[in-house]
Amino acid sequence: SSTANNTSEDVTNTPFYRLNHTASSSKSDDKPAVEEFLNPSDVTFLKQFINPLYLKPSYMEDVNLQFCENSSLQLDDFLRADLASAISHSSIEADALQNVGGRKPQL
């Protein structure tokens, strides 16, 4: 019995599983399902990298529903602008040093 519970907890302990299953099972609840697994310290950490818009529970639920309906997503401006810019510039510089690429990516 405890083995079954541990297995169940292991399987259901992933954020995507919980978001998908909680969202479908609690449609009548006002509380967004995202809040059940993304705690304030997670949000604080992720804000270093991700556009804060994507960390809002209501927006995350909308993105999840879109993915469930379409099996794909396009997340515009997902990374923070300063981080995306730094990555882009570093990649262009690395390409130039290695004499590869040759074209500036369209951002």
Side-chain angles (χ1 to χ4, degrees):
S1 171
S2 66
T3 305
N5 287 342
N6 288 342
T7 303
S8 177
E9 290 173 5
D10 292 341
V11 172
T12 62
N13 201 27
T14 62
F16 293 113
Y17 180 91
R18 283 180 286 177
L19 175 60
N20 198 23
H21 287 79
T22 306
S24 63
S25 66
S26 63
K27 296 265 187 218
S28 63
D29 294 344
D30 292 334
K31 181 180 179 186
V34 173
E35 291 177 350
E36 294 182 14
F37 71 88
L38 196 60
N39 64 48
S41 63
D42 294 333
V43 172
T44 299
F45 175 76
L46 292 171
K47 279 184 179 179
Q48 299 175 80
F49 312 103
I50 298 174
N51 180 338
L53 175 68
Y54 286 100
L55 298 172
K56 292 182 179 184
S58 61
Y59 202 82
M60 290 178 78
E61 284 197 12
D62 290 344
V63 167
N64 182 56
L65 290 173
Q66 181 182 350
F67 181 75
C68 289
E69 291 173 4
N70 302 317
S71 300
S72 67
L73 290 173
Q74 181 172 338
L75 301 175
D76 296 324
D77 301 318
F78 180 73
L79 294 177
R80 284 187 18 213
D82 60 328
L83 181 60
S85 178
I87 291 170
S88 177
H89 291 295
S90 294
S91 296
I92 291 168
E93 288 176 10
D95 284 353
L97 288 173
Q98 296 176 11
N99 202 24
V100 295
R103 292 186 296 147
K104 191 173 185 179
Q106 297 293 322
L107 300 178

